[in-house]
Amino acid sequence: MTAVWCLLAAVCVAGAVLVTPRLRAWNRRKAAEHEAWLNDIQAGDREVSLMEEIHRRRSPQHERRE
């Protein structure tokens, strides 16, 4: 019976050793996807703010008074 437990423990350790690199790669891929998503949102926000600034400057209602 002890041999069965040793074999089971060895299988578990081997499984953990085999799964760890794949899990790390998956985490890196997900982190890269998340960062790209955030960069896309930030780029969109910058574009919207630039368009609002252009619209504000062209609008006759908001004349500059300096």
Side-chain angles (χ1 to χ4, degrees):
M1 193 66 175
T2 304
V4 172
W5 289 114
C6 287
L7 182 60
L8 181 62
V11 168
C12 288
V13 168
V17 168
L18 292 174
V19 169
T20 300
R22 289 184 183 183
L23 185 59
R24 287 182 181 162
W26 183 82
N27 284 338
R28 281 193 300 271
R29 186 172 61 249
K30 285 296 182 183
E33 289 173 3
H34 184 68
E35 187 163 347
W37 177 73
L38 287 176
N39 289 338
D40 189 37
I41 289 175
Q42 290 172 350
D45 288 346
R46 282 192 297 272
E47 185 178 340
V48 168
S49 66
L50 287 173
M51 294 300 291
E52 288 174 348
E53 180 69 20
I54 290 169
H55 179 70
R56 185 184 65 78
R57 288 184 181 188
R58 289 184 179 173
S59 175
Q61 299 168 352
H62 298 285
E63 294 180 3
R64 292 185 180 181
R65 296 182 182 138
E66 297 181 31

